[in-house]
Every structure is written in C-alpha cells, then in structure tokens.
Amino acid sequence: GVPPFLPPGYPLNPWWHAAMGAVPPPWAAQLPIWGAGYPGFPQIPPASMPAGFPPGRKNSGEKRNNATGRSEKAEGKKGQRGLREDRIEKSTPAAIGAQAKASSIPQPSGSPTTVMLRHIPNRYSSMQLVNLLDDRGFKALYDFVYLPMDFQNKVNLGYCFVNLIAHDVALRFQEAFHGFTEWRFDSSKASEVSWAHPHQGYDEHVERYRNSPVMHASMPDEYKPMVFKHGVPVPFPPPTRSIKAPKVRVHRERPGLKEVLALQQG
C-alpha cells in the first residue's frame, strides 16, 4: 500500500517499489532516486535496504562468494544440480542397457580358456585376424578361432571367439588385446575382451559348430570356424549328421545379424 506520510496524489518513489520487492514502473526513471523533493519523504534508504542493493530484490541475508558473485545457497544448488545431472546421465536407457548387458553375462566357473574379442574393424578376414594373433605373440597358443561374417556385405560382424590352450594364456590374451587399437586398417576402434558365454573350451565349440549350416559345403572356407594344432590350421572335425544348407535371411536394419543367427541355429 501507500505509506501514510505521502500526501494524496503523490506517485510512489522507485526505492519504495524496490523495498516492496516490485518492479518500478516506467515513469520511475524520471523521478529522484531517494525521494528528493517530496515533503516528509525519507532522504536516505531505510536500514533494511543497504546502499547499492539491486532494486526489486529483498535482502535475504545470504552470504555471497566474492570471486563468483554467487550466493552460497546458489553455489550449493549448482553443486546439487551437477550431481543430479550425473545421476540422470547414468540412468539413461543406453547406460542402463550397457550395465544390464555387462551384469547379465555370468562369469564362467573353473579355469575358462575361450574369450570373445569385440570391436574388430569390419574389413578383417579370418586369416588376417589369425596373422594379428600370431604377430602379437600368440602363435600356437590357440586351437579355435571363429570370426562371424555378414554374408550380404562380405565383412565381419566386429567380434570373434578364440580358445586359448590354457587359462593363464587366456589371461595374457586379455591383457594384450583389451583396449587394443593397433589395427592393420585405419580404425579408431578400441577392442574389448570378455569370457565367452555360454560355450567354453575347444570341445564345446567343436560340438557347437560341426553340424551348423555355417559348415555346409556351399559356404566359403573363410566364413567357417577354424581349428589349429601347434599353430597350423587342420581340418575341422567332421559332422555327426547331415548338414542343412544355410538359409540366408537379410535384415534391413542390421544386415548379417539375422543371417548369422539363422546359420548358428540347428
């Protein structure tokens, strides 16, 4: 309301609007700042409004940071907001999916020897991958390698399975290839290594693929799993039943994935 000491008809002075927490009207710019010229009107700011206090803001008694000009309350809110954003980032569907995928793969028991190498540049062939393993000091230290292929585009799907001859060799393989970036082709990919699941060991992988359509005579040799003895490729163990010809099914969104799934079934 209007203070009782103002004569009727006098317009409110800007400092009064500031004291009331209101925005001064446009005509306030034409009037004296602290009531000069108004009979009975205070000539200095009231004690509750320190000189220089921004108009339209009440003095809440907050302490301010001299370096940033922010109140301690505002700085605290900023810190809480940062923590909140970190929590939101970690709770995005992509982050949740990655965490769920990592936590959903059970760790194999005993002394596993088969690893899954991911993020392989798609231009690698099976033999080029084998040469990479040999060049990195693992020649004759593995007996099974399978690099699944995209049959439509004739490139690999970015991951492979390698069975090492012993558990300690598999651990050394993980150290050598986890985060590996020195590819033959120009690529920024960094590989990741994890234990293969659900199959572990040479025997399980041979039984897994010996009757698979991927071993059909119509399939190119470079698309098939390979087995080794003393570092030399040897014929894959023969099937125990008739192998059906592969049914290649193309998936528009992700070519090759459906094909591999179709070949690996049965």
Side-chain angles (χ1 to χ4, degrees), residues 124 132 136 179-185 189:
Y124 265 82
L132 174 64
R136 292 291 160 173
F180 182 82
T181 57
E182 299 177 29
W183 306 108
R184 173 177 178 174
F185 304 106
K189 290 183 177 181

Side-chain angles (χ1 to χ4, degrees), residues 238-249:
T240 58
R241 62 174 184 267
S242 177
I243 298 179
K244 296 180 180 180
K247 296 179 180 179
V248 178
R249 294 177 293 183

Side-chain angles (χ1 to χ4, degrees), residues 149-164:
M149 301 295 292
D150 174 348
F151 307 124
Q152 180 185 17
N153 297 316
K154 296 180 173 56
V155 295
N156 73 69
L157 293 181
Y159 65 92
C160 74
F161 297 99
V162 181
N163 185 67
L164 288 307

